[in-house]
Amino acid sequence: MNILFLGIIAIAAYIIQTCLGLKQIKNFSMVYARLRKKGKVAIGRRPGKLTSGTILMFSVNQMGLIDEAEMMQGITILARFKPKKQFVGLNIRELNEQHPVFEKENRLTRQAALNAKKIYLEVEKGNYQDTKPVSPVMNVGLHLSMLKQSIQTKFSKGSV
């Protein structure tokens, strides 16, 4: 009886998490589409594994000025995009660590904004290629493979 009850709770939690995750993706898509109608969109991200993650989107006009900025920051799937008016009117090319706009911002927001600038400039030059992050499971496998290779190399050098 207890196992059945725990199973029902686990399934209900999974369904709720899925629904809220889909709602968050829909929120991202709506904000992106709205910003895309205005022009180019620079997206900066600062993923969080155990800490808060941050996504910052800038609508950038032809002159490189930020027309609108939206940011999602949080740990849970309840996070939503909120306007960041302090970035409006700034030139994305002029953003740097010492920019006065960052004085009141947290480290995650700074990193996401600088990531957006970096990606925007790389796309503008035609040099940007999106890289897919390696999952933690694949990362462990990669480290084990490298360890095995180094051990084989050491033994092969020692026997020659």
Side-chain angles (χ1 to χ4, degrees), residues 20-35:
L20 291 174
L22 290 173
K23 191 173 180 182
Q24 189 176 49
I25 291 169
K26 183 178 178 183
N27 179 248
F28 175 89
S29 298
M30 286 176 26
V31 171
Y32 177 76
R34 182 172 43 85
L35 295 178

Side-chain angles (χ1 to χ4, degrees), residues 4-16:
L4 179 64
F5 182 69
L6 290 175
I8 291 171
I9 289 176
I11 290 171
Y14 178 76
I15 291 170
I16 291 169

